[in-house]
Amino acid sequence: PSLRILATSQQPLGIGGEAVIQVGPLSVPTANAGRALTGIAESEAVALLVERAREAGASLEVTPENEAVVVELARRLDGIPLAIELASVRLRTLGLDQLVERLNSRFALLVGGSRTAPLRHQTLEATIAWSFDLLGADHRAVLRRLAVFAGSFSLEAAEEIGRSGLDAAADVLGLLDDLVARSFVGREGSNAGARSRLPAPIG
């Protein structure tokens, strides 16, 4: 009766007694003016970036001169640990500004993960493709349509664009909820006016 099982999964298992602990992305420094350097360096995303860059042989330290670029890089990578680890290795060759400039081609840039890691964890594209392949046809269709939004979007907008091409009985809200549970869609805003958005590497 005291047995507890800790399981990791792309989505909740949906069984009785399950307590879901959502593992979100790493904390990213805000873009507010006047933030302290210590606050930037201590954010989880920047701390991992600095640590992994140094392990890869690149010298990286947050300074008043580069803080804006460091914050931009962390935000563009959306606090995703794998993306940060792959980007940090590139700092052996590229400067911070160059790395940020090349993020528009992130799938070509963010490669070269550990050789001992599973193939799906060696590039950002492989990780996303592996997760995408686990989705059903309707989930994929809705996700492709949500990619038209450049930023956040409302539930009403998601339903309007998501139902195009789907079976009339398809439940866009249910599909969207599944995509949120699987971390393909993020939720932001207040409880009164919740909005959604796609993580930067997907959108």
Side-chain angles (χ1 to χ4, degrees):
S2 60
L3 176 67
R4 294 189 179 196
I5 298 174
L6 176 64
T8 59
S9 175
Q10 187 192 44
Q11 67 184 107
L13 301 177
I15 59 177
E18 179 182 22
V20 177
I21 301 173
Q22 189 74 28
V23 181
L26 302 178
S27 65
V28 175
T30 65
N32 297 334
R35 57 188 178 273
L37 279 179
T38 53
I40 295 173
E42 290 173 358
S43 76
E44 295 169 336
V46 173
L48 180 63
L49 178 69
V50 171
E51 178 183 321
R52 292 296 188 264
R54 289 175 178 170
E55 289 177 359
S59 177
L60 178 61
E61 184 177 346
V62 181
T63 67
E65 291 73 32
N66 69 16
E67 62 171 298
V69 184
V70 170
V71 170
E72 175 67 11
L73 178 58
R75 296 181 70 213
R76 290 278 299 277
L77 297 173
D78 236 8
I80 298 172
L82 178 62
I84 293 169
E85 294 198 8
L86 294 174
S88 64
V89 175
R90 293 297 190 180
L91 289 173
R92 290 183 304 202
T93 308
L94 302 174
L96 282 168
D97 290 313
Q98 294 172 311
L99 183 55
V100 171
E101 287 172 5
R102 292 169 181 258
L103 280 180
N104 289 333
S105 303
R106 60 174 60 88
F107 288 143
L109 181 71
L110 302 181
V111 298
S114 170
R115 293 180 183 178
T116 61
L119 289 177
R120 66 178 183 269
H121 291 162
Q122 292 186 15
T123 72
L124 185 62
E125 183 177 18
T127 299
I128 293 174
W130 175 77
S131 297
F132 184 79
D133 288 344
L134 295 177
L135 298 175
D138 284 347
H139 291 88
R140 294 183 197 180
V142 170
L143 187 59
R144 281 193 294 266
R145 289 176 174 84
L146 294 178
V148 303
F149 296 110
S152 66
F153 51 86
S154 66
L155 171 61
E156 292 74 20
E159 287 181 316
E160 184 66 29
I161 199 167
R163 71 171 55 97
S164 174
L166 295 182
D167 184 280
D171 176 17
V172 177
L173 174 59
L175 294 171
L176 182 62
D177 186 60
D178 287 344
L179 291 172
V180 171
R182 297 180 185 208
S183 300
F184 275 100
V185 176
R187 181 183 179 279
E188 59 184 34
S190 65
N191 290 330
R195 295 177 65 82
S196 303
R197 71 176 184 90
L198 300 185
I202 297 175

mmCIF file of all heavy atoms in Angstrom, residues 60-93:
data_model
loop_
_atom_site.group_PDB
_atom_site.id
_atom_site.type_symbol
_atom_site.label_atom_id
_atom_site.label_comp_id
_atom_site.label_asym_id
_atom_site.label_seq_id
_atom_site.Cartn_x
_atom_site.Cartn_y
_atom_site.Cartn_z
ATOM 1 N N LEU A 60 33.382 32.003 -21.263
ATOM 2 C CA LEU A 60 32.167 32.824 -21.264
ATOM 3 C C LEU A 60 31.898 33.342 -19.863
ATOM 4 O O LEU A 60 31.865 32.574 -18.902
ATOM 5 C CB LEU A 60 30.966 32.018 -21.751
ATOM 6 C CG LEU A 60 29.623 32.754 -21.745
ATOM 7 C CD1 LEU A 60 29.659 33.974 -22.660
ATOM 8 C CD2 LEU A 60 28.496 31.820 -22.151
ATOM 9 N N GLU A 61 31.731 34.625 -19.767
ATOM 10 C CA GLU A 61 31.394 35.272 -18.505
ATOM 11 C C GLU A 61 30.411 36.394 -18.805
ATOM 12 O O GLU A 61 30.552 37.101 -19.808
ATOM 13 C CB GLU A 61 32.654 35.832 -17.846
ATOM 14 C CG GLU A 61 32.408 36.450 -16.472
ATOM 15 C CD GLU A 61 33.702 36.924 -15.826
ATOM 16 O OE1 GLU A 61 34.792 36.544 -16.306
ATOM 17 O OE2 GLU A 61 33.620 37.689 -14.851
ATOM 18 N N VAL A 62 29.397 36.544 -17.963
ATOM 19 C CA VAL A 62 28.407 37.602 -18.164
ATOM 20 C C VAL A 62 28.993 38.923 -17.686
ATOM 21 O O VAL A 62 29.404 39.058 -16.532
ATOM 22 C CB VAL A 62 27.104 37.295 -17.392
ATOM 23 C CG1 VAL A 62 26.074 38.403 -17.637
ATOM 24 C CG2 VAL A 62 26.533 35.949 -17.825
ATOM 25 N N THR A 63 29.050 39.896 -18.581
ATOM 26 C CA THR A 63 29.615 41.209 -18.281
ATOM 27 C C THR A 63 28.633 42.289 -18.712
ATOM 28 O O THR A 63 27.680 42.005 -19.456
ATOM 29 C CB THR A 63 30.942 41.416 -19.041
ATOM 30 O OG1 THR A 63 30.655 41.478 -20.458
ATOM 31 C CG2 THR A 63 31.928 40.290 -18.761
ATOM 32 N N PRO A 64 28.846 43.537 -18.283
ATOM 33 C CA PRO A 64 27.960 44.614 -18.742
ATOM 34 C C PRO A 64 27.956 44.763 -20.259
ATOM 35 O O PRO A 64 26.960 45.184 -20.845
ATOM 36 C CB PRO A 64 28.550 45.860 -18.065
ATOM 37 C CG PRO A 64 29.238 45.336 -16.844
ATOM 38 C CD PRO A 64 29.798 44.004 -17.255
ATOM 39 N N GLU A 65 29.064 44.386 -20.898
ATOM 40 C CA GLU A 65 29.164 44.536 -22.351
ATOM 41 C C GLU A 65 28.363 43.474 -23.103
ATOM 42 O O GLU A 65 27.852 43.744 -24.194
ATOM 43 C CB GLU A 65 30.639 44.459 -22.793
ATOM 44 C CG GLU A 65 31.503 45.640 -22.374
ATOM 45 C CD GLU A 65 31.816 45.648 -20.885
ATOM 46 O OE1 GLU A 65 31.918 44.543 -20.300
ATOM 47 O OE2 GLU A 65 31.938 46.742 -20.311
ATOM 48 N N ASN A 66 28.252 42.274 -22.544
ATOM 49 C CA ASN A 66 27.571 41.212 -23.297
ATOM 50 C C ASN A 66 26.243 40.775 -22.687
ATOM 51 O O ASN A 66 25.603 39.859 -23.204
ATOM 52 C CB ASN A 66 28.486 39.996 -23.459
ATOM 53 C CG ASN A 66 28.750 39.271 -22.146
ATOM 54 O OD1 ASN A 66 28.067 39.456 -21.145
ATOM 55 N ND2 ASN A 66 29.767 38.411 -22.144
ATOM 56 N N GLU A 67 25.822 41.414 -21.604
ATOM 57 C CA GLU A 67 24.618 40.939 -20.910
ATOM 58 C C GLU A 67 23.388 40.930 -21.804
ATOM 59 O O GLU A 67 22.578 39.992 -21.763
ATOM 60 C CB GLU A 67 24.334 41.777 -19.651
ATOM 61 C CG GLU A 67 24.064 43.247 -19.925
ATOM 62 C CD GLU A 67 23.571 43.966 -18.681
ATOM 63 O OE1 GLU A 67 22.507 43.590 -18.175
ATOM 64 O OE2 GLU A 67 24.243 44.896 -18.222
ATOM 65 N N ALA A 68 23.222 41.955 -22.655
ATOM 66 C CA ALA A 68 22.033 42.006 -23.511
ATOM 67 C C ALA A 68 22.017 40.841 -24.494
ATOM 68 O O ALA A 68 20.965 40.242 -24.745
ATOM 69 C CB ALA A 68 21.997 43.335 -24.264
ATOM 70 N N VAL A 69 23.171 40.478 -25.029
ATOM 71 C CA VAL A 69 23.251 39.372 -25.987
ATOM 72 C C VAL A 69 23.031 38.041 -25.281
ATOM 73 O O VAL A 69 22.370 37.141 -25.811
ATOM 74 C CB VAL A 69 24.617 39.373 -26.712
ATOM 75 C CG1 VAL A 69 24.654 38.279 -27.771
ATOM 76 C CG2 VAL A 69 24.880 40.723 -27.342
ATOM 77 N N VAL A 70 23.574 37.906 -24.075
ATOM 78 C CA VAL A 70 23.378 36.673 -23.301
ATOM 79 C C VAL A 70 21.896 36.468 -22.998
ATOM 80 O O VAL A 70 21.363 35.359 -23.153
ATOM 81 C CB VAL A 70 24.200 36.707 -21.989
ATOM 82 C CG1 VAL A 70 23.804 35.556 -21.074
ATOM 83 C CG2 VAL A 70 25.686 36.656 -22.291
ATOM 84 N N VAL A 71 21.216 37.541 -22.595
ATOM 85 C CA VAL A 71 19.782 37.452 -22.311
ATOM 86 C C VAL A 71 19.016 37.090 -23.579
ATOM 87 O O VAL A 71 18.132 36.225 -23.567
ATOM 88 C CB VAL A 71 19.252 38.786 -21.736
ATOM 89 C CG1 VAL A 71 17.728 38.785 -21.673
ATOM 90 C CG2 VAL A 71 19.835 39.027 -20.348
ATOM 91 N N GLU A 72 19.363 37.720 -24.695
ATOM 92 C CA GLU A 72 18.704 37.421 -25.972
ATOM 93 C C GLU A 72 18.901 35.965 -26.369
ATOM 94 O O GLU A 72 17.969 35.291 -26.821
ATOM 95 C CB GLU A 72 19.241 38.348 -27.062
ATOM 96 C CG GLU A 72 18.727 38.070 -28.462
ATOM 97 C CD GLU A 72 17.248 38.352 -28.640
ATOM 98 O OE1 GLU A 72 16.641 38.966 -27.730
ATOM 99 O OE2 GLU A 72 16.692 37.952 -29.673
ATOM 100 N N LEU A 73 20.102 35.455 -26.194
ATOM 101 C CA LEU A 73 20.395 34.062 -26.540
ATOM 102 C C LEU A 73 19.570 33.110 -25.683
ATOM 103 O O LEU A 73 18.949 32.171 -26.193
ATOM 104 C CB LEU A 73 21.891 33.789 -26.364
ATOM 105 C CG LEU A 73 22.361 32.358 -26.646
ATOM 106 C CD1 LEU A 73 22.010 31.938 -28.062
ATOM 107 C CD2 LEU A 73 23.863 32.237 -26.404
ATOM 108 N N ALA A 74 19.548 33.351 -24.372
ATOM 109 C CA ALA A 74 18.786 32.486 -23.463
ATOM 110 C C ALA A 74 17.304 32.504 -23.810
ATOM 111 O O ALA A 74 16.620 31.475 -23.778
ATOM 112 C CB ALA A 74 19.003 32.923 -22.017
ATOM 113 N N ARG A 75 16.792 33.679 -24.163
ATOM 114 C CA ARG A 75 15.374 33.803 -24.499
ATOM 115 C C ARG A 75 15.054 33.143 -25.831
ATOM 116 O O ARG A 75 14.019 32.501 -25.992
ATOM 117 C CB ARG A 75 14.961 35.275 -24.513
ATOM 118 C CG ARG A 75 15.077 35.940 -23.141
ATOM 119 C CD ARG A 75 14.639 37.378 -23.175
ATOM 120 N NE ARG A 75 13.211 37.468 -23.373
ATOM 121 C CZ ARG A 75 12.605 38.446 -24.046
ATOM 122 N NH1 ARG A 75 13.318 39.403 -24.600
ATOM 123 N NH2 ARG A 75 11.307 38.465 -24.165
ATOM 124 N N ARG A 76 15.956 33.290 -26.805
ATOM 125 C CA ARG A 76 15.723 32.677 -28.122
ATOM 126 C C ARG A 76 15.745 31.155 -28.035
ATOM 127 O O ARG A 76 15.105 30.468 -28.833
ATOM 128 C CB ARG A 76 16.790 33.158 -29.114
ATOM 129 C CG ARG A 76 16.696 34.617 -29.527
ATOM 130 C CD ARG A 76 15.675 34.850 -30.622
ATOM 131 N NE ARG A 76 15.962 34.139 -31.847
ATOM 132 C CZ ARG A 76 16.791 34.541 -32.795
ATOM 133 N NH1 ARG A 76 17.454 35.683 -32.649
ATOM 134 N NH2 ARG A 76 16.968 33.820 -33.882
ATOM 135 N N LEU A 77 16.492 30.620 -27.076
ATOM 136 C CA LEU A 77 16.553 29.174 -26.881
ATOM 137 C C LEU A 77 15.443 28.680 -25.965
ATOM 138 O O LEU A 77 15.312 27.484 -25.720
ATOM 139 C CB LEU A 77 17.920 28.766 -26.322
ATOM 140 C CG LEU A 77 19.110 29.056 -27.245
ATOM 141 C CD1 LEU A 77 20.424 28.777 -26.531
ATOM 142 C CD2 LEU A 77 19.013 28.233 -28.529
ATOM 143 N N ASP A 78 14.645 29.622 -25.438
ATOM 144 C CA ASP A 78 13.431 29.312 -24.663
ATOM 145 C C ASP A 78 13.709 28.504 -23.398
ATOM 146 O O ASP A 78 12.831 27.802 -22.906
ATOM 147 C CB ASP A 78 12.419 28.573 -25.532
ATOM 148 C CG ASP A 78 11.079 29.287 -25.575
ATOM 149 O OD1 ASP A 78 10.985 30.415 -25.059
ATOM 150 O OD2 ASP A 78 10.108 28.713 -26.107
ATOM 151 N N GLY A 79 14.938 28.563 -22.886
ATOM 152 C CA GLY A 79 15.238 27.839 -21.654
ATOM 153 C C GLY A 79 15.253 26.333 -21.811
ATOM 154 O O GLY A 79 15.203 25.596 -20.825
ATOM 155 N N ILE A 80 15.322 25.838 -23.048
ATOM 156 C CA ILE A 80 15.309 24.389 -23.294
ATOM 157 C C ILE A 80 16.722 23.841 -23.097
ATOM 158 O O ILE A 80 17.644 24.219 -23.832
ATOM 159 C CB ILE A 80 14.804 24.084 -24.716
ATOM 160 C CG1 ILE A 80 13.366 24.595 -24.864
ATOM 161 C CG2 ILE A 80 14.879 22.593 -25.025
ATOM 162 C CD1 ILE A 80 12.830 24.516 -26.270
ATOM 163 N N PRO A 81 16.909 22.958 -22.126
ATOM 164 C CA PRO A 81 18.263 22.498 -21.788
ATOM 165 C C PRO A 81 19.054 21.941 -22.971
ATOM 166 O O PRO A 81 20.226 22.273 -23.137
ATOM 167 C CB PRO A 81 18.022 21.428 -20.720
ATOM 168 C CG PRO A 81 16.744 21.853 -20.061
ATOM 169 C CD PRO A 81 15.905 22.408 -21.183
ATOM 170 N N LEU A 82 18.433 21.084 -23.792
ATOM 171 C CA LEU A 82 19.174 20.510 -24.912
ATOM 172 C C LEU A 82 19.621 21.597 -25.887
ATOM 173 O O LEU A 82 20.764 21.592 -26.359
ATOM 174 C CB LEU A 82 18.325 19.472 -25.650
ATOM 175 C CG LEU A 82 18.997 18.845 -26.878
ATOM 176 C CD1 LEU A 82 20.269 18.091 -26.489
ATOM 177 C CD2 LEU A 82 18.031 17.931 -27.621
ATOM 178 N N ALA A 83 18.744 22.554 -26.183
ATOM 179 C CA ALA A 83 19.095 23.641 -27.099
ATOM 180 C C ALA A 83 20.254 24.455 -26.532
ATOM 181 O O ALA A 83 21.179 24.842 -27.269
ATOM 182 C CB ALA A 83 17.882 24.535 -27.340
ATOM 183 N N ILE A 84 20.228 24.711 -25.231
ATOM 184 C CA ILE A 84 21.300 25.481 -24.589
ATOM 185 C C ILE A 84 22.621 24.714 -24.640
ATOM 186 O O ILE A 84 23.677 25.280 -24.944
ATOM 187 C CB ILE A 84 20.923 25.815 -23.133
ATOM 188 C CG1 ILE A 84 19.734 26.777 -23.110
ATOM 189 C CG2 ILE A 84 22.108 26.400 -22.374
ATOM 190 C CD1 ILE A 84 19.124 26.972 -21.744
ATOM 191 N N GLU A 85 22.573 23.412 -24.380
ATOM 192 C CA GLU A 85 23.798 22.618 -24.390
ATOM 193 C C GLU A 85 24.410 22.567 -25.793
ATOM 194 O O GLU A 85 25.625 22.679 -25.957
ATOM 195 C CB GLU A 85 23.511 21.204 -23.873
ATOM 196 C CG GLU A 85 23.119 21.194 -22.401
ATOM 197 C CD GLU A 85 23.251 19.834 -21.759
ATOM 198 O OE1 GLU A 85 23.791 18.930 -22.418
ATOM 199 O OE2 GLU A 85 22.853 19.686 -20.602
ATOM 200 N N LEU A 86 23.565 22.405 -26.819
ATOM 201 C CA LEU A 86 24.074 22.356 -28.183
ATOM 202 C C LEU A 86 24.618 23.717 -28.619
ATOM 203 O O LEU A 86 25.628 23.796 -29.324
ATOM 204 C CB LEU A 86 22.963 21.892 -29.132
ATOM 205 C CG LEU A 86 22.476 20.449 -28.935
ATOM 206 C CD1 LEU A 86 21.278 20.162 -29.824
ATOM 207 C CD2 LEU A 86 23.587 19.449 -29.203
ATOM 208 N N ALA A 87 23.949 24.798 -28.198
ATOM 209 C CA ALA A 87 24.403 26.140 -28.556
ATOM 210 C C ALA A 87 25.728 26.472 -27.873
ATOM 211 O O ALA A 87 26.597 27.116 -28.472
ATOM 212 C CB ALA A 87 23.345 27.173 -28.182
ATOM 213 N N SER A 88 25.893 26.043 -26.629
ATOM 214 C CA SER A 88 27.103 26.391 -25.872
ATOM 215 C C SER A 88 28.357 25.836 -26.537
ATOM 216 O O SER A 88 29.423 26.459 -26.496
ATOM 217 C CB SER A 88 26.989 25.880 -24.431
ATOM 218 O OG SER A 88 26.937 24.453 -24.403
ATOM 219 N N VAL A 89 28.242 24.666 -27.175
ATOM 220 C CA VAL A 89 29.396 24.074 -27.852
ATOM 221 C C VAL A 89 29.845 24.962 -29.008
ATOM 222 O O VAL A 89 31.032 25.064 -29.308
ATOM 223 C CB VAL A 89 29.050 22.656 -28.355
ATOM 224 C CG1 VAL A 89 30.198 22.067 -29.163
ATOM 225 C CG2 VAL A 89 28.729 21.743 -27.175
ATOM 226 N N ARG A 90 28.896 25.633 -29.652
ATOM 227 C CA ARG A 90 29.228 26.492 -30.788
ATOM 228 C C ARG A 90 30.053 27.715 -30.379
ATOM 229 O O ARG A 90 30.684 28.354 -31.217
ATOM 230 C CB ARG A 90 27.950 26.954 -31.482
ATOM 231 C CG ARG A 90 27.176 25.849 -32.180
ATOM 232 C CD ARG A 90 27.997 25.256 -33.300
ATOM 233 N NE ARG A 90 27.205 24.361 -34.126
ATOM 234 C CZ ARG A 90 27.673 23.702 -35.169
ATOM 235 N NH1 ARG A 90 28.952 23.843 -35.509
ATOM 236 N NH2 ARG A 90 26.909 22.904 -35.881
ATOM 237 N N LEU A 91 30.051 28.027 -29.092
ATOM 238 C CA LEU A 91 30.817 29.187 -28.620
ATOM 239 C C LEU A 91 32.324 28.930 -28.665
ATOM 240 O O LEU A 91 33.111 29.851 -28.455
ATOM 241 C CB LEU A 91 30.375 29.571 -27.200
ATOM 242 C CG LEU A 91 28.977 30.194 -27.122
ATOM 243 C CD1 LEU A 91 28.548 30.383 -25.676
ATOM 244 C CD2 LEU A 91 28.933 31.525 -27.870
ATOM 245 N N ARG A 92 32.717 27.705 -28.974
ATOM 246 C CA ARG A 92 34.141 27.446 -29.203
ATOM 247 C C ARG A 92 34.602 28.145 -30.478
ATOM 248 O O ARG A 92 35.777 28.502 -30.613
ATOM 249 C CB ARG A 92 34.393 25.936 -29.356
ATOM 250 C CG ARG A 92 34.230 25.128 -28.108
ATOM 251 C CD ARG A 92 34.566 23.682 -28.338
ATOM 252 N NE ARG A 92 33.773 23.090 -29.415
ATOM 253 C CZ ARG A 92 33.565 21.784 -29.547
ATOM 254 N NH1 ARG A 92 34.109 20.946 -28.689
ATOM 255 N NH2 ARG A 92 32.835 21.316 -30.537
ATOM 256 N N THR A 93 33.659 28.305 -31.414
ATOM 257 C CA THR A 93 33.996 28.847 -32.736
ATOM 258 C C THR A 93 33.379 30.213 -32.989
ATOM 259 O O THR A 93 33.984 31.069 -33.627
ATOM 260 C CB THR A 93 33.516 27.876 -33.840
ATOM 261 O OG1 THR A 93 33.998 26.570 -33.563
ATOM 262 C CG2 THR A 93 33.989 28.321 -35.210
#
